[in-house]
Amino acid sequence: MVDYSELTCHELKEMIDKREASSEEIINSVFERIHKLESKIHAYISLFRDSALEEAIIIDERIRKGEAVGKLSGIPIAVKDIISTKDKITTCGSKILENYIPPFDATVIERIKKEGAIIIGKTNMDEFAMGSSTENSAFGHSRNPWSLEHVTGGSSGGSAAALAADETILALGSDTGGSIRCPASFCSIVGLKPTYGLVSRYGLVAYANSLEQIGPMAKDVTDCALLLSIINGNDYRDSTSAPFPNKNYMNALVDDVRGFTLGVPREFFGEGTDSAVEKLVWNAIHKFEDLGAHYEEISMPHIVYSIPTYYLIAMCEASSNLARFDGIRYGFRAEKDGADWNEVFSLTRQKGFGPEVKRRIILGTFALSAGYYDKYYLKALQIRTLIKNDFEKALSKYSALIAPTMPTPPFKIGEKIEDPLSMYMIDIDTVPINLAGVPSISIPCGFVNNLPVGMQIIGRFFDEETIIRLAYSYEQNTVFHRKKPNL
Ligand code: GLN
């Protein structure tokens, strides 16, 4: 049997169109791969083999009859377990939602289903997307397909690992402060954090609403553009959704970057940046130069304040968002005879949330409390504006900015989990982008001792075309995205 699992969505679509492959064969191929590797990788929290096969058979039948089908018809997709899926468990990587079954689909799910995509499973993640390694999952961590002792990155680590291990064809993630790009970098796949407001957040369980976006994760830039083309566009159910109609990004796939200008902000190569990572990103910048783009080194002085600014805002928003998990309306409830509502509420949260989530709720509540609000939260909002201004200034001059996605290659499982601050610090290159709201794509740009390294291409507000074009050109002229882990 042909192994379809190692192919991309655009390759498989072509085969389906030419009747060289059926959706049923593709689903079987991917599940065979999952069967073989999942005990090692643990990319998924739940899997839906039966429903996936049923859907595949129906789609194959429609194709046989010559009926019109959607742009993702018959293609397997893995969905981060923080995106609501109707009648399918959505845990957010938390014990508190271990048996929560949403009664509705997120807008992005409605859109991919309308195009015929088949949801094969929900992927592992840090609890409520809080983390950079998936080690905060209540269901155990995932493992990096490139080296099983290393983390996948996070929080969308399951989605990235599933792609890298060919346990899916496409995936969805969410990115509050790097959760799509960090695991994309660590697993050598492509991930895009859209401009704030481009993709509907309706049905995304909120962690820090002013920062997060759902975005595509894929094996190459073409698939990434394809999935973004389907999920973007205005949605009346999300009040922060931008008032733009759906846009197609496939015409941004042009292998020509002549005349493009790139800014290289020095602050993204600061203290803590691994010299091998720095070298690989510079190689990529010189590649762009060879391809006809120009670059200049620049300074964005407020980037250095990004970590405290981001963590303050994210924790404040989290403390408010997570108040809804009270043991009454959703999922898990701690039972105790004779307990009143207050006791049940505390006990449920004590037993239902993991340590990192509790830490953030407590810190966020503190920072928002009377007397401290101005000192912390308000200050953070002011610095956020300065960081945003840095981006606007830089991007008014350059077509895009280039930076490492992560300051280091993936680290070892267990290495940082006991020291939250060291875990927060590695988000230094991803969180400024969410504070500003601009789009950024992470693509593979090399390896250090067989461990993946990614770079970011950061664009202007709602100018996903430019970063996709730059990423596509780079990919067409390099080989890193074709390399596969030895599994
Ligand atoms: N690592 C960051 C955090 O823990 C970002 C996570 C995310 O993007 N969801 O908040």
Side-chain angles (χ1 to χ4, degrees):
M1 199 175 98
V2 192
D3 186 2
Y4 298 104
S5 70
E6 62 190 33
L7 302 180
T8 61
C9 173
H10 59 93
E11 287 165 344
L12 289 170
K13 257 169 55 98
E14 219 187 294
M15 294 176 80
I16 293 177
D17 286 349
K18 291 193 193 142
R19 315 275 167 100
E20 290 167 8
S22 70
S23 176
E24 187 183 353
E25 287 168 323
I26 296 167
I27 295 285
N28 275 327
S29 211
V30 168
F31 272 98
E32 221 163 90
R33 185 81 183 162
I34 291 172
H35 181 70
K36 182 170 158 219
L37 293 175
E38 193 45 12
S39 60
K40 282 194 218 168
I41 307 287
H42 188 29
Y44 289 95
I45 291 178
S46 38
L47 285 162
F48 315 118
R49 187 181 192 139
D50 294 348
S51 63
L53 270 175
E54 273 167 35
E55 287 169 38
I57 289 165
I58 293 170
I59 284 171
D60 286 339
E61 183 60 27
R62 289 182 51 192
I63 293 172
R64 247 190 307 277
K65 286 195 194 141
E67 287 175 26
V69 292
K71 296 193 187 84
L72 296 179
S73 267
I75 301 293
I77 184 164
V79 176
K80 186 179 183 182
D81 211 15
I82 197 166
I83 301 174
S84 305
T85 41
K86 187 172 194 278
D87 301 335
K88 289 188 159 78
I89 286 192
T90 300
T91 68
C92 296
S94 182
K95 185 169 177 320
I96 213 161
L97 290 179
E98 68 187 352
N99 47 26
Y100 169 58
I101 301 177
F104 69 104
D105 274 328
T107 298
V108 293
I109 300 297
E110 273 181 13
R111 291 187 181 173
I112 60 167
K113 277 188 176 171
K114 204 168 144 235
E115 294 297 339
I118 297 178
I119 298 172
I120 57 169
K122 301 294 293 282
T123 56
N124 199 15
M125 55 179 284
D126 288 293
E127 186 174 5
F128 286 105
M130 298 177 187
S132 315
S133 67
T134 78
E135 290 167 292
N136 292 331
S137 168
F139 306 101
H141 59 75
S142 303
R143 289 175 180 279
N144 193 313
W146 293 89
S147 158
L148 298 177
E149 295 112 72
H150 287 80
V151 300
T152 54
S155 63
S156 317
S159 288
L163 285 162
D166 292 323
E167 290 187 56
T168 187
I169 304 302
L170 289 174
L172 283 173
S174 71
D175 190 311
T176 312
S179 281
I180 288 177
R181 291 160 291 151
C182 160
S185 175
F186 281 5
C187 294
S188 202
I189 57 117
V190 177
L192 187 146
K193 199 280 297 173
T195 306
Y196 188 78
L198 183 73
V199 174
S200 170
R201 288 185 297 109
Y202 178 76
L204 170 69
V205 179
Y207 153 26
N209 344 31
S210 81
L211 297 158
E212 57 211 8
Q213 278 286 291
I214 295 172
M217 300 173 78
K219 297 181 189 180
D220 68 8
V221 176
T222 303
D223 278 5
C224 185
L226 179 64
L227 187 51
L228 182 66
S229 299
I230 286 155
I231 60 174
N232 83 90
N234 181 253
D235 176 19
Y236 71 94
R237 291 173 296 192
D238 170 2
S239 61
T240 60
S241 154
F244 305 133
N246 174 271
K247 202 161 165 180
N248 187 347
Y249 292 94
M250 299 311 276
N251 39 23
L253 301 170
V254 179
D255 181 8
D256 181 7
V257 296
R258 282 172 300 171
F260 280 67
T261 56
L262 305 172
V264 183
R266 181 165 310 129
E267 288 75 10
F268 283 87
F269 298 80
E271 203 190 320
T273 307
D274 185 293
S275 58
V277 169
E278 192 168 337
K279 192 159 165 266
L280 288 173
V281 176
W282 272 106
N283 289 347
I285 295 165
H286 292 129
K287 185 82 202 177
F288 278 122
E289 215 182 4
D290 294 345
L291 297 172
H294 307 285
Y295 81 87
E296 261 169 23
E297 277 189 74
I298 59 167
S299 173
M300 296 173 67
H302 300 99
I303 294 296
V304 294
Y305 305 113
S306 298
I307 292 279
T309 307
Y310 167 83
Y311 274 95
L312 248 155
I313 294 173
M315 288 182 192
C316 288
E317 292 187 23
S319 73
S320 148
N321 277 321
L322 270 60
R324 66 176 61 116
F325 302 106
D326 53 10
I328 310 290
R329 286 170 292 186
Y330 307 95
F332 169 80
R333 177 189 306 168
E335 306 284 356
K336 192 181 156 202
D337 283 347
D340 65 12
W341 184 80
N342 267 320
E343 262 182 288
V344 171
F345 178 84
S346 308
L347 210 60
T348 297
R349 290 165 69 85
Q350 198 183 91
K351 296 209 167 131
F353 288 138
E356 182 59 29
V357 173
K358 284 183 194 158
R359 180 179 298 121
R360 295 190 188 201
I361 293 174
I362 292 168
L363 286 170
T365 308
F366 172 75
L368 286 176
S369 58
Y372 292 104
Y373 177 88
D374 292 6
K375 199 168 161 201
Y376 296 121
Y377 185 64
L378 199 62
K379 190 94 201 160
L381 290 184
Q382 288 163 339
I383 301 173
R384 181 177 189 174
T385 303
L386 296 175
I387 292 170
K388 193 170 163 204
N389 292 347
D390 275 3
F391 277 98
E392 278 180 352
K393 196 169 151 216
L395 288 162
S396 67
K397 197 161 169 216
Y398 303 97
S399 330
L401 310 175
I402 307 286
T405 304
M406 300 302 290
T408 67
F411 47 90
K412 287 225 164 111
I413 292 167
E415 194 180 316
K416 290 187 194 288
I417 195 70
E418 301 298 334
D419 178 10
L421 216 53
S422 73
M423 190 76 86
Y424 301 166
M425 293 302 281
I426 61 156
D427 295 339
I428 178 67
D429 298 328
T430 51
V431 296
I433 284 89
N434 302 72
L435 288 166
V438 292
S440 172
I441 187 169
S442 177
I443 56 172
C445 72
F447 295 84
V448 182
N449 302 325
N450 206 36
L451 292 172
V453 173
M455 71 162 155
Q456 292 187 90
I457 308 173
I458 304 156
R460 296 176 181 155
F461 285 107
F462 298 105
D463 185 16
E464 274 74 2
E465 276 103 341
T466 296
I467 60 173
I468 288 171
R469 179 161 170 169
L470 284 159
Y472 180 76
S473 284
Y474 179 80
E475 191 184 77
Q476 291 301 301
N477 293 282
T478 50
V479 294
F480 308 117
H481 67 291
R482 283 206 213 105
K483 218 176 147 192
K484 298 260 184 197
N486 236 332
L487 281 162

